Amino acid sequence: MRDEATQLLSSLIRVDTTNPPGNETAAAELLRDYLEANGLECELYARTPERANVVARLRGGDGPSLLFLGHTDVVLADPAEWSVPPFAGEVRDGQVWGRGALDMKSQVAANAVAIASLAREGFRPQGELIFAATADEEVGDGFGLEWLCEAHPDAVRCDFAINEGGGDRLELGGSTYWVCSTAEKMSAPFRIRVRGRSGHASMPGIADNALVKAARLVERIAAYAPPREVQQEVAAFLRVLDVELETLPPVAAELVEPLLAPTFSPTMISASRKRNVIPALCEVTVDCRLLPGTTPADVEPTIRDVLGDDAEYELEFTEAQGGTRSALDTPLWRAVESFAETAEPGSRAVPICTAGFTDSHWLREAFGTVAYGFFPARMPPEVMSTLIHSADERIPVDDLELGVTWLRHAAHTLLA
Ligand SMILES: [Zn+2]
């Protein structure tokens, strides 16, 4: 299975699914051929022909269903920055190299090998084991899981799902922990529009400079420190580590910091397009991440308080995505815990809310699925984070094999 997953990952990397434009159909067909050769029922679902999603299922009885979820698209790779060609799928020094090796063709390949091997062994789930490799996660234009949940809900409806977004192995105070993502912050950017009156820049007195007025608001946002709050994921994290928030080791404190409060980061500003024209309009975009369970409407009064009532402005949330969580006391959680124990006796699983969001929220919103991000990796998280969406992305074959072991363990634990 180790070699099988390695070969499948190499082949998947060789299919260039850079999004945009994606072209995920070639990857979906490759996976379909592999899965059908292993006796699985497969179906391609595509909103447009070149952007197919592939779903396979292993049917059993009326028991619970478990979905192995992954996306087949990848982000851009500039070959000039790489020490190997990014779409060659080279295996070198015990690692598979290439765009998608971590995010996330590795997990897609492991998902496929796990379900294929179970099918070959005659595994009959109590309920159903489902495999889905979806398009368009990296851009999110509605060709992937979002569309499947709407247009073909029966294809992906499930009780439990395992997705990307977690699996880091941490060593803290002499103990080992595996981080499982059970919740995600909401991305809720907003725009502040400040109006003034234009005029010639050589005579500032006759105009009303919107940029200068907006600068005051930007400073107020930057200076704001929202009150911290310990939500259930951080509370459970602290409980497993048996420490207080104040005494967390630095590595863990860094991990937990963005999970204690919303964040507000002004990132974009636009005003006059001409040096000698005082702008009558200035727009500031603020990247805003909310704790799960909080909505833009909840936080808007706070933002207005921070901005103050001495300035006129318009405030508009432009989108809101993610911000969902799954319960912690579930059979899937117990599968993660028992996996930790078998992978490394004495190691423990810890839940985390991630600062970014994945496709998991579509399942949680559509079906109330218990969805966790968990693909265990021994590669140190500080190394992995420099490779994801970056040059020389690669995965140790050992980690790929560990992933297959985890997925098979989950299927056996939840569905046998
Ligand atoms: Zn991803």
Side-chain angles (χ1 to χ4, degrees):
M1 274 181 255
R2 181 185 168 94
D3 293 342
E4 201 173 322
T6 305
Q7 279 167 26
L8 187 59
L9 173 55
S10 282
S11 319
L12 277 172
I13 289 172
R14 273 181 234 122
V15 179
D16 183 347
T17 49
T18 303
N19 186 10
N23 285 327
E24 296 93 340
T25 298
E29 286 170 346
L30 188 152
L31 288 162
R32 180 191 55 196
D33 293 348
Y34 168 78
L35 293 164
E36 284 184 346
N38 283 280
L40 284 150
E41 277 177 56
C42 274
E43 186 93 45
L44 260 55
Y45 299 90
R47 208 183 104 193
T48 57
E50 64 283 3
R51 309 209 62 181
N53 305 274
V54 57
V55 179
R57 43 211 332 132
L58 191 55
R59 291 175 207 273
D62 297 331
S65 50
L66 169 65
L67 169 65
F68 293 160
L69 176 65
H71 63 83
T72 53
D73 61 321
V74 296
V75 296
L76 193 78
D78 177 1
E81 294 176 15
W82 287 62
S83 44
V84 298
F87 295 101
E90 261 183 56
V91 184
R92 189 194 282 188
D93 309 325
Q95 306 190 87
V96 185
W97 295 61
R99 175 56 84 228
L102 291 167
D103 182 13
M104 64 174 293
K105 286 177 169 171
S106 46
Q107 192 168 348
V108 170
N111 286 345
V113 170
I115 193 172
S117 60
L118 288 164
R120 286 197 302 257
E121 291 160 13
F123 176 73
R124 200 182 130 77
Q126 262 185 21
E128 205 172 17
L129 182 59
I130 310 163
F131 166 97
T134 59
D136 193 34
E137 191 273 344
E138 298 290 358
V139 175
D141 273 340
F143 296 97
L145 188 62
E146 175 186 13
W147 173 77
L148 274 177
C149 286
E150 265 174 41
H152 300 279
D154 292 340
V156 286
R157 182 180 289 111
C158 57
D159 300 309
F160 303 100
I162 299 167
N163 188 20
E164 64 178 336
D168 288 353
R169 178 182 178 280
L170 295 182
E171 282 181 22
L172 296 169
S175 302
T176 300
Y177 302 93
W178 301 89
V179 179
C180 174
S181 163
T182 61
E184 300 171 346
K185 286 181 93 173
M186 174 186 275
S187 168
F190 57 88
R191 199 184 294 131
I192 301 167
R193 209 174 274 124
V194 180
R195 294 180 195 277
R197 197 174 56 253
S198 63
H200 199 283
S202 65
M203 302 173 72
I206 62 158
D208 181 20
N209 193 326
L211 174 56
V212 172
K213 288 158 81 178
R216 283 199 290 272
L217 301 184
V218 171
E219 283 191 343
R220 286 174 188 164
I221 294 170
Y224 175 58
R228 297 161 121 209
E229 153 188 4
V230 174
Q231 293 199 330
Q232 65 184 47
E233 293 78 20
V234 173
F237 186 87
L238 295 171
R239 223 166 25 241
V240 176
L241 266 67
D242 196 22
V243 289
E244 304 288 327
L245 188 56
E246 295 70 29
T247 58
L248 266 181
V251 186
E254 226 170 78
L255 197 68
V256 163
E257 182 57 39
L259 314 179
L260 298 172
T263 55
F264 305 96
S265 304
T267 49
M268 296 161 82
I269 191 159
S270 74
S272 180
R273 291 177 178 273
K274 246 177 127 41
R275 193 254 307 144
N276 61 1
V277 177
I278 288 175
L281 177 69
C282 180
E283 284 190 349
V284 180
T285 301
V286 181
D287 180 283
C288 165
R289 311 283 166 139
L290 303 178
L291 292 172
T294 315
T295 65
D298 295 333
V299 82
E300 189 175 329
T302 308
I303 297 167
R304 290 191 182 275
D305 276 352
V306 170
L307 294 173
D309 49 18
D310 58 340
E312 269 184 53
Y313 59 85
E314 294 149 37
L315 175 71
E316 186 196 356
F317 280 90
T318 48
E319 59 181 288
Q321 283 229 64
T324 59
R325 60 160 46 103
S326 289
L328 296 178
D329 182 21
T330 69
L332 185 54
W333 181 258
R334 290 187 281 283
V336 178
E337 274 184 330
S338 58
F339 168 77
E341 183 56 36
T342 49
E344 279 181 51
S347 71
R348 307 271 314 266
V350 282
I352 196 101
C353 166
T354 49
F357 67 90
T358 67
D359 269 348
S360 291
H361 74 97
W362 300 118
L363 294 173
R364 294 190 185 120
E365 285 158 6
F367 314 118
T369 302
V370 172
Y372 293 163
F374 193 70
F375 193 67
R378 290 201 168 89
M379 179 186 261
E382 64 274 16
V383 175
M384 208 185 307
S385 61
T386 63
L387 299 176
I388 290 175
H389 289 205
S390 191
D392 288 345
E393 185 179 352
R394 58 192 183 271
I395 185 172
V397 173
D398 286 346
D399 278 353
L400 193 56
E401 186 182 21
L402 185 67
V404 177
T405 308
W406 146 243
L407 294 159
R408 287 171 49 87
H409 172 88
H412 279 298
T413 309
L414 268 86
L415 304 180

